[in-house]
Amino acid sequence: MSFNIPHTTPNFSAKARKLEDQLWQASGLEKNTSSTLPLYKDKPYGDGFVARSTQGRRRRNIFYGVLVALLFWAIYTFSRSLDGELSLRDGIKDYEFKGWKGRGKPKTNWVNEQKAVKQAFVDSWNGYQKYAWGKDVYKPQSKTGKNMGPKPLGWFIVDSLDTLMLMGLEKELADARYWVDKDLDYDMDYEVNTFETTIRMLGGLLSAHYLSKDDMYLDKAVNLGNRLLGAFDSETGVPYASVNLKTRKGAKSHADGGASSTAEAATVQLELKYLSKLTGEALYWDAAEKVMKVMEANKAQEGLVPIFIQPDTGKFQGNQIRLGSRGDSYYEYLIKQYLQTEKREEIYRDMYEEAVDGIKHHMVKQSVPGDLAFIGELDRGINGPFSTKMDHLVCFAGGMFALGATEGYTQKEVEQSESWTQTRQVNLRLGVELTRTCYEMYHQTVTGLSPEIVFFNDHNTLSKDFSVKPQDAHNLQRPETVESLFYLWRITRNPIYREWGWEIFQAFEKYTKVPGDAGYDSINNVESTEPSWRNNMESFWLSETLKYLYLLFDDSKDEVLPLTEIVFNTEAHPFPKFDMEPLFTTGWTRAPVQAAPEKVGKVEKVDKEKVEKKVKKKIEKKIEEIPTEKGDFKPAQVPADPIRG
Ligand code: DMJ
């Protein structure tokens, strides 16, 4: 196994742990030292206590137990602020068995669940084929379809090719292939969204070629890729929001002062790089790398990027930061670019880690009363106010944190590795927690479906973890939560993720299946059991939501699409990892951050021992000041690494 990344983060929490050990000893209680303790259960107090025989001793033990619990809380909270990690208070509920309560022991056979997902796909496909074949938009209530431009782009058919292949739907695939071969023609005088067309159409064609080795798909991909390249012909190489497929001329966004979305500009790289690999032509590769170089030169604070970038100047616009719309897949593609080229482009791991630290420091909080970890928004930069708004789109991040932590291996595989650092463990834990939060966004609504946006409650005045505004109560059949369930299942092998996936799928069945033969629809209000249809079936329902659910329930002996061998693009199209050499190179390096001159001197003089002594003193002082009540969880405003200042 090639999981071998040097550990560079100073491990201050080891000190906190030592201190804990001493406290356990002093308390006369036995510490639960089971190394196989599952992540959900590793809260600092609970089942681990074993009482001694006499009454008096028991009372004393209870007293010490409470004391130790408080000490742990203090140590955990403080150690977090020391090493810049997230310490999730005591919100880790025992979820292991909840999912299959009443169904006996954990299920091991998920064939029927997978069949049900396949049936949902077939029903959706049949509805589309019957009422809107070849069209880009499908309206299952009015049973009509329409194109976005003068000719169809293949929105549904191309986006669905690889799911048809994975599900073994041969007849449907034959129809789809015939249509792509005969009817799909990208030579049209029409401006398309650069990002959407790249992730859905180019991505769909490339993954279809990967799974089938059918060159027809590659020819179409090259044809489209060449047209899309026109978008990158800006002053800086940062792509314009749109591009005309005939003239190949890029076009600025008509809104946002002509800025492109950061996520959109930085979420075309996997597709372009794979196209270069397949064709041996460097032009796609170079276009992809250039965007990243220009973006990085902005030196975003703590790796957190504003959601707009100007293609003319290459500068970020504004200081709105979020992991929802316009920000999300920038972060996703950092780690995936690193993995795609077999970890040769370390620059992306570096940028990813910096960003994850930034997210943990500035954007993660826990809700009240359920202690759900969530990622909020920073509307005015990292020093501005924190908003508790979270888009459902953010739910991809649970899977991303898990993937980044183990690089696609299972938790069991990496836990034994010397590269399994505390930072990675915390990142996996964050993935686990965030995925639980996203599941709760479904579980806690009337329909069992998540709304588009929630506002988490971070103070003690409300009894619910989140609230939903009427204008945000719709469900668009989005994939992000089931995507994370899929990653967490593959990585942790905890069957709870399949249970949660099944619960979510059943809610889709109950509330989004259109009576009759038209398929599935988006709905207006997840808090009402009365159907209020939106009359729009999304293509990512077929390409992502149902694909991730299908893979989640897959029991095949030989794992289908192992995460150690492939990367999914942001539209769930799988590409193989590949060796970039000898044809391609990253071709750029990260410029050092310009530190203030007086700080540079200080950093150089830092003596590690001195810092550690200071830290120890602080821990001791903190223990003396143990609070009597639980404090609010707040993201620490300290640098990630005290050694580096
Ligand atoms: C999809 O097109 C992709 O997952 C994209 O990254 C975000 N939006 C939709 C799904 O919600």
Side-chain angles (χ1 to χ4, degrees):
M1 195 168 79
S2 62
F3 186 84
N4 190 24
I5 307 250
H7 178 193
T8 48
T9 315
N11 193 349
F12 282 106
S13 292
K15 290 182 176 306
R17 271 208 303 276
K18 210 169 164 192
L19 212 62
E20 284 166 30
D21 285 340
Q22 286 162 7
L23 288 162
W24 277 106
Q25 239 176 9
S27 73
L29 301 171
E30 283 177 30
K31 183 186 174 189
N32 187 340
T33 52
S34 163
S35 58
T36 55
L37 209 60
L39 272 175
Y40 298 100
K41 277 190 171 168
D42 58 354
K43 53 184 167 182
Y45 45 88
D47 296 343
F49 293 98
V50 180
R52 298 273 164 87
S53 51
T54 64
Q55 272 285 25
R57 185 97 189 208
R58 193 171 295 139
R59 256 187 241 121
R60 211 167 62 225
N61 282 351
I62 290 170
F63 168 73
Y64 277 127
V66 172
L67 184 67
V68 168
L70 287 169
L71 289 175
F72 273 20
W73 172 80
I75 291 164
Y76 268 38
T77 307
F78 190 64
S79 69
R80 174 188 177 277
S81 74
L82 290 177
D83 61 16
E85 301 300 359
L86 174 84
S87 116
L88 294 159
R89 215 160 51 189
D90 55 348
I92 317 304
K93 304 285 187 294
D94 181 2
Y95 269 89
E96 268 93 332
F97 296 97
K98 188 179 165 198
W100 59 82
K101 229 178 213 165
R103 293 177 66 175
K105 55 184 173 120
K107 262 170 69 70
T108 48
N109 181 326
W110 290 79
V111 172
N112 289 335
E113 284 75 6
Q114 195 187 40
K115 268 191 196 154
V117 172
K118 184 171 171 179
Q119 192 56 50
F121 181 94
V122 170
D123 292 344
S124 305
W125 180 264
N126 285 345
Y128 170 73
Q129 190 158 25
K130 185 165 177 189
Y131 299 114
W133 184 240
K135 298 284 196 300
D136 295 329
V137 176
Y138 174 43
K139 296 174 172 293
Q141 300 300 326
S142 46
K143 298 181 177 164
T144 52
K146 64 174 187 191
N147 287 325
M148 297 189 281
K151 285 195 276 188
L153 290 158
W155 224 239
F156 276 88
I157 299 177
V158 174
D159 221 7
S160 302
L161 289 167
D162 55 14
T163 318
L164 290 167
M165 292 175 192
L166 287 168
M167 292 184 174
L169 294 166
E170 283 170 23
K171 193 203 150 289
E172 290 82 350
L173 178 62
D175 295 342
R177 188 199 180 280
Y178 185 86
W179 186 89
V180 173
D181 189 22
K182 304 288 178 227
D183 294 344
L184 182 61
D185 175 13
Y186 286 119
D187 189 22
M188 65 180 103
D189 191 7
Y190 178 63
E191 267 177 26
V192 295
N193 177 290
T194 310
F195 155 81
E196 296 287 2
T197 311
T198 303
I199 64 164
R200 300 190 200 210
M201 299 302 99
L202 186 58
L205 290 166
L206 288 172
S207 65
H209 173 260
Y210 165 53
L211 295 181
S212 66
K213 302 289 170 280
D214 184 338
D215 280 342
M216 186 274 290
Y217 297 123
L218 182 56
D219 289 346
K220 297 273 175 182
V222 172
N223 183 300
L224 176 60
N226 290 339
R227 293 169 194 277
L228 289 171
L229 271 188
F232 297 77
D233 199 8
S234 69
E235 281 300 311
T236 61
V238 170
Y240 292 113
S242 310
V243 60
N244 184 302
L245 287 178
K246 189 174 205 65
T247 63
R248 305 180 187 201
K249 210 172 153 358
K252 281 186 178 179
S253 163
H254 302 299
D256 312 310
S260 302
S261 296
T262 303
E264 295 195 355
T267 311
V268 290
Q269 282 65 22
L270 295 181
E271 296 78 2
L272 293 178
K273 286 178 170 183
Y274 185 35
L275 188 57
S276 272
K277 178 68 186 175
L278 288 171
T279 58
E281 299 288 350
L283 71 170
Y284 316 108
W285 180 283
D286 294 343
E289 288 285 7
K290 191 160 180 207
V291 183
M292 300 312 297
K293 180 183 174 189
V294 171
M295 261 187 198
E296 208 278 334
N298 279 273
K299 290 290 160 208
Q301 280 179 292
E302 299 193 38
L304 300 177
V305 293
I307 59 170
F308 291 110
I309 185 162
Q310 272 294 347
D312 290 345
T313 61
K315 298 284 173 235
F316 287 129
Q317 176 176 300
N319 49 11
Q320 247 181 304
I321 295 168
R322 63 177 178 236
L323 261 75
S325 60
R326 300 180 190 280
D328 47 9
S329 43
Y330 163 82
Y331 304 95
E332 176 188 347
Y333 269 34
L334 290 180
I335 188 64
K336 287 185 175 174
Q337 282 186 81
Y338 171 69
L339 296 175
Q340 180 183 36
T341 46
E342 303 284 11
K343 307 187 215 172
R344 297 307 296 265
E345 297 188 276
E346 288 193 11
I347 206 161
Y348 295 118
R349 169 101 234 168
D350 209 44
M351 288 169 76
Y352 171 75
E353 275 172 2
E354 184 182 332
V356 173
D357 277 347
I359 293 166
K360 286 188 288 190
H361 290 158
H362 298 283
M363 303 181 81
V364 179
K365 269 201 181 193
Q366 284 180 286
S367 68
V368 178
D371 288 325
L372 300 178
F374 67 93
I375 297 182
E377 299 188 357
L378 300 166
D379 292 335
R380 277 180 265 149
I382 62 173
N383 297 317
F386 177 87
S387 156
T388 67
K389 170 175 171 275
M390 186 169 119
D391 296 348
H392 182 276
L393 286 168
V394 179
C395 289
F396 81 97
M400 175 185 76
F401 291 132
L403 178 69
T406 73
E407 297 177 354
Y409 292 99
T410 63
Q411 185 182 348
K412 209 168 159 202
E413 281 168 326
V414 296
E415 267 175 354
Q416 308 311 322
S417 154
E418 59 180 36
S419 309
W420 186 237
T421 61
Q422 190 198 15
T423 304
R424 283 171 185 261
Q425 194 174 344
V426 172
N427 291 353
L428 175 56
R429 173 70 167 276
L430 179 57
V432 165
E433 287 301 316
L434 193 67
T435 303
R436 174 164 80 95
T437 301
C438 290
Y439 159 72
E440 292 292 342
M441 283 164 61
Y442 286 72
H443 187 66
Q444 293 189 24
T445 68
V446 171
T447 54
L449 290 170
S450 170
E452 177 72 357
I453 297 170
V454 300
F455 285 81
F456 281 96
N457 172 29
D458 64 348
H459 50 275
N460 286 315
T461 52
L462 294 171
S463 59
K464 288 191 76 177
D465 284 297
F466 59 82
S467 52
V468 182
K469 298 190 174 170
Q471 67 269 26
D472 303 330
H474 47 291
N475 178 288
L476 301 182
Q477 313 173 294
R478 285 200 190 277
E480 291 77 16
T481 296
V482 295
E483 172 182 348
S484 285
L485 295 179
F486 161 74
Y487 278 103
L488 267 295
W489 157 245
R490 283 281 178 97
I491 286 167
T492 67
R493 291 283 153 182
N494 186 333
I496 193 69
Y497 297 112
R498 295 175 124 186
E499 293 289 343
W500 288 351
W502 180 237
E503 184 184 316
I504 290 171
F505 174 73
Q506 284 175 298
F508 276 123
E509 279 292 289
K510 191 160 175 193
Y511 293 106
T512 71
K513 188 163 192 219
V514 180
D517 61 357
Y520 291 70
D521 198 355
S522 307
I523 58 169
N524 281 315
N525 187 3
V526 296
E527 294 293 10
S528 164
T529 53
E530 288 304 308
S532 170
W533 305 106
R534 287 176 77 87
N535 200 16
N536 188 40
M537 187 171 93
E538 297 284 351
S539 78
F540 51 70
W541 165 248
L542 300 175
S543 70
E544 295 195 75
T545 311
L546 291 174
K547 183 191 286 147
Y548 282 127
L549 283 165
Y550 183 80
L551 292 173
L552 177 66
F553 301 133
D554 189 53
D555 283 333
S556 306
K557 239 188 173 171
D558 290 326
E559 196 168 71
V560 178
L561 302 174
L563 293 175
T564 47
E565 288 170 25
I566 59 109
V567 281
F568 285 98
N569 88 338
T570 195
E571 187 77 0
H573 296 306
F575 304 154
K577 293 181 182 177
F578 60 80
D579 186 357
M580 62 196 259
E581 284 161 350
L583 285 182
F584 312 111
T585 56
T586 305
W588 62 283
T589 49
R590 294 190 78 182
V593 184
Q594 294 291 320
E598 67 280 11
K599 263 203 151 182
V600 172
K602 261 190 200 163
V603 171
E604 278 165 0
K605 274 188 223 138
V606 164
D607 171 341
K608 194 176 171 195
E609 242 176 57
K610 247 189 190 171
V611 174
E612 286 187 357
K613 258 191 203 158
K614 220 170 136 192
V615 165
K616 201 172 166 211
K617 237 183 171 179
K618 271 191 185 171
I619 293 180
E620 282 159 7
K621 193 161 169 258
K622 201 80 189 173
I623 287 169
E624 281 161 22
E625 303 165 357
I626 295 164
T628 47
E629 277 178 30
K630 270 198 308 189
D632 267 354
F633 176 89
K634 294 235 167 58
Q637 304 289 323
V638 295
D641 181 345
I643 291 283
R644 284 185 232 142

